[in-house]
Amino acid sequence: MSLASVYIGTRFVHFVSLYVLLGTGIYVECLTPRAARGWSRARSEALLRACALAACVCAFLLLGLEAGQMGSGWPDVHDPSTWRAVLGTAYGRVWRWQLGFSVAAAVCALAGARPWRRPALLWLAAAMLGCMAFVGHAASHTGEQAVLAGAVQLAHLYAGAYWLGGLPVLWLTLEGLNDGRRAAVVHTHVRYSWAGHVAVALVIASGAVNTGLVLGTWPWHWASLYQLLLSLKIALVALMALAAVVNRYVLVPRMRLDSAAAARWFGRLVLTEITLGLLVLALVSWFATLEPA
C-alpha cells in the first residue's frame, strides 16, 4: 500500500474521530436535558472513548506519515530525526499542540467516571479540531488573507462537526423513543435541529468562501481531480441538507404524535445522513492531499 493511501486513510479516521468527539460532546453536555443526560452519557460512552483513543493514535501516525512524505518515503516514517525536522516547520508548530491535546484527550477517555471528564473532553475536542484549521490548504495564505482563511476554516470545521458529529449519538439515543424517554429525546433533537439550521448555513457559506480563497473560481473544471472531488463533496452536502430538512419538518412533527412509522423513517434518514457525511469526510481527506488546480 502506498504512503499516500495510508495518509489519506489516517486523515479520514482522524477527521471522523474529531468530528464525533466534538459533536457528541455538544449534543450530550449542552443540548440534552439534565434529567436524561446520564442515560445519554452511558449510550455514547463507548463511542466517545473509541474516538478519543483513535484521534490520539492518528495524530502520531499523521506526524510520522508527514515525515515520510517530506523525506524519502517509508524509511522516514519512523525516523526520529525526520520527525524533529517536521516539528520545526510551520505545520509542526501547530501539530505539537495537536499531539498535546490528543494525549490529554486519551487520558480523559481512560480516566473513569470523573465529574470533570466529559466537559474536559468537549473542550479538548474543540481544541484538536481547531488545530486542523491551521494546516493544509487553508494555512497556505499570508497576511490579512491568512487571518480570513483561518477564521473561515474554523467556522467550517466547527459547524460541520456540530452537524455531522452529532448524528451518531442522536441515532444511538433513538431507542429512548420506546422506553419512556420520548419527550427528552424529541426535545433534544429539536434543540439540536434549531442550532443545526445555523450550522448548515455556516457549512455552505464558509465552504463557498473557502473555495473562492483556494481556487478563485467555482469548481467547474472536472478535468482537475481536485475540482471533481470538491464538486462531489458539494453534491453530497446538498443531499445531507435535503435529508435533514425532511427529518426536521416532515418526520419530527409526526414523531410527536407517537408515530412508529415516522420514528423508523427518521432513524433510516439519520443513518443516510451519517453515510453521506462519512463520504464527505473521505473526499475531503483525499483532495486535501492534492494541489488545488
Side-chain angles (χ1 to χ4, degrees):
M1 187 176 293
S2 70
L3 180 62
S5 298
V6 175
Y7 184 80
I8 291 168
T10 306
R11 276 182 63 91
F12 169 70
V13 175
H14 193 230
F15 265 120
V16 171
S17 300
L18 295 183
Y19 268 49
V20 174
L21 265 179
L22 184 57
T24 299
I26 294 173
Y27 194 94
V28 174
E29 304 304 319
C30 303
L31 302 178
T32 302
R34 188 176 297 275
R37 197 169 297 164
W39 176 76
S40 292
R41 286 173 174 168
R43 291 292 298 155
S44 60
E45 177 60 30
L47 177 67
L48 204 69
R49 184 174 298 175
C51 286
L53 296 176
C56 183
V57 171
C58 287
F60 281 92
L61 286 176
L62 285 170
L63 176 60
L65 293 168
E66 188 72 27
Q69 294 192 117
M70 284 183 59
S72 56
W74 285 109
D76 284 319
V77 168
H78 48 77
D79 182 0
S81 63
T82 311
W83 281 41
R84 288 193 294 271
V86 172
L87 290 172
T89 65
Y91 167 92
R93 286 189 287 274
V94 174
W95 212 252
R96 292 175 192 175
W97 288 98
Q98 182 71 264
L99 295 174
F101 292 139
S102 298
V103 171
V107 170
C108 282
L110 299 173
R114 308 291 171 83
W116 49 266
R117 179 172 165 271
R118 284 287 189 133
L121 270 174
L122 174 57
W123 285 107
L124 287 167
M128 287 187 286
L129 191 60
C131 288
M132 301 302 290
F134 302 100
V135 294
H137 296 147
S140 61
H141 305 283
T142 57
E144 294 180 356
Q145 197 172 55
V147 176
L148 174 62
V152 170
Q153 185 68 353
L154 276 173
H156 193 67
L157 290 171
Y158 285 145
Y162 176 90
W163 180 13
L164 173 56
L167 291 173
V169 67
L170 185 158
W171 186 79
L172 286 172
T173 55
L174 283 180
E175 71 173 32
L177 293 172
N178 303 314
D179 65 2
R181 296 181 175 88
R182 171 175 291 273
V185 169
V186 173
H187 177 68
T188 305
H189 174 67
V190 170
R191 294 180 71 181
Y192 165 79
S193 178
W194 279 118
H197 288 72
V198 178
V200 172
L202 269 177
V203 165
I204 294 170
S206 58
V209 174
N210 268 338
T211 299
L213 288 171
V214 173
L215 282 179
T217 182
W218 197 250
W220 292 125
H221 306 294
W222 292 349
S224 160
L225 180 58
Y226 180 93
Q227 295 196 33
L228 175 61
L229 297 177
L230 179 55
S231 297
L232 287 174
K233 175 203 170 184
I234 292 168
L236 291 174
V237 169
L239 288 175
M240 283 183 68
L242 178 61
V245 167
V246 172
N247 260 348
R248 174 64 183 88
Y249 291 104
V250 176
L251 297 178
V252 169
R254 295 180 183 178
M255 286 166 60
R256 284 173 163 167
L257 300 175
D258 202 19
S259 169
R264 284 194 300 272
W265 277 105
F266 182 87
R268 290 167 185 165
L269 272 184
V270 169
L271 283 177
T272 299
E273 281 189 76
I274 292 171
T275 302
L276 291 172
L278 290 174
L279 290 173
V280 166
L281 291 181
L283 288 173
V284 170
S285 300
W286 185 1
F287 70 67
T289 65
L290 304 173
E291 283 297 320

